Amino acid sequence: MSLHTDWRNIPASARNTVAALGNFDGVHRGHVHLLETLRMARPDHPLSVVTFDPHPRTLFRPQDPSFRLMLPGIRAAALAEQGVEHVFQIPFDAEFSHLSAERFVDDVLVNGLGVAHVACGADFAFGHRRTGNIERLETFLSPHGIGLTIVPQLSDEGGPISSSRVRRLLQEGYPQRAAQELGRPWSITGPVMHGDQRGRLLGFPTANIPLTQHVEPARGVYAARVTLPDGRIVSGVANIGRRPTINDGQESRLEVHLFDFNEDLYGQTLSVALIALLREEKRFSGLDELKAQIACDAAQARSILGI
């Protein structure tokens, strides 16, 4: 898979693709359905995705809490797993946001990327103030001989599958249901940072990973599986929250204790998959009570993970 971040300078080898349009945050089952539909409709061209970074919502509503299901590099890797050969990750800044709907098609899709065919969902909107819809998209593409496939949203018993729905499930404490929507457990990926080593003093050393742009799921303790940089997967128990017993401050963090593991992970990038919520965040009377509860959490996580 090739990642392109400059739509004005696309090599000839990346042109003439069939392109799926959208943010693709999470690369959930609905996104996979869109990609598979496009692949079946036009198997004669390489499959590509046209997406944006940062997410437009970040530009227009910077005061909002972090909401990303996955960071751009992880998204590109997930798209590659679905057979996408080219990811066109367009920088979304103030200048680009003022591009009209017609210029988005002419300048970006036609002249910049040279796409052969386009697919999107029925609610796809584009251009300055989101004035472009699928009817206008077809009108602008048609003179260039570029076809358009409109793909209905994939739905299940809960309704249409969407990134917003996955975020809500995570925030409400349902990682298993979110995993069903995604087609895999949801993960937080980031570097291991130095902490205050309180976990080690409690007998449960933890790897500390900042949430950064990730959506904050329900605060509490989770059974988790951790993927190391070398591909090994280690089970563990994770905490997401502000550590109220220790009065740690206002910023939530992810701390994960890896079972039967004793290696230096500082500076390494881990992917922590949240498998099941064990309990919500709570304050304890002191460190002794907290230590006893962590031992119970670890035992419960081992049971859920089958170890």
Side-chain angles (χ1 to χ4, degrees), residues 204 221 236-237 257 259 278 293-303 307:
F204 293 90
V221 178
V237 60
H257 170 70
F259 296 142
L278 307 181
Q293 182 61 59
I294 293 174
C296 292
D297 295 337
Q300 186 180 359
R302 284 180 180 270
S303 176
I307 59 174

Side-chain angles (χ1 to χ4, degrees), residues 222-278:
Y222 293 81
R225 288 194 177 95
V226 182
T227 301
L228 305 180
D230 60 10
R232 285 180 294 162
I233 298 177
V234 182
S235 296
V237 60
N239 181 79
I240 293 179
R242 298 180 179 178
R243 307 200 299 180
T245 304
I246 302 173
N247 191 26
D248 190 54
Q250 296 303 309
E251 182 178 348
S252 291
R253 66 170 71 178
L254 164 64
E255 298 175 294
V256 57
H257 170 70
L258 282 67
F259 296 142
D260 310 314
F261 186 87
N262 187 27
E263 297 178 23
D264 184 4
L265 293 173
Y266 287 122
Q268 298 189 49
T269 297
L270 307 184
S271 179
V272 181
L274 304 183
I275 306 302
L277 177 63
L278 307 181

Side-chain angles (χ1 to χ4, degrees), residues 75 82 106 194 196 278 281:
R75 176 179 61 185
Q82 299 302 324
D106 289 346
H194 283 277
D196 52 23
L278 307 181
E281 182 179 59

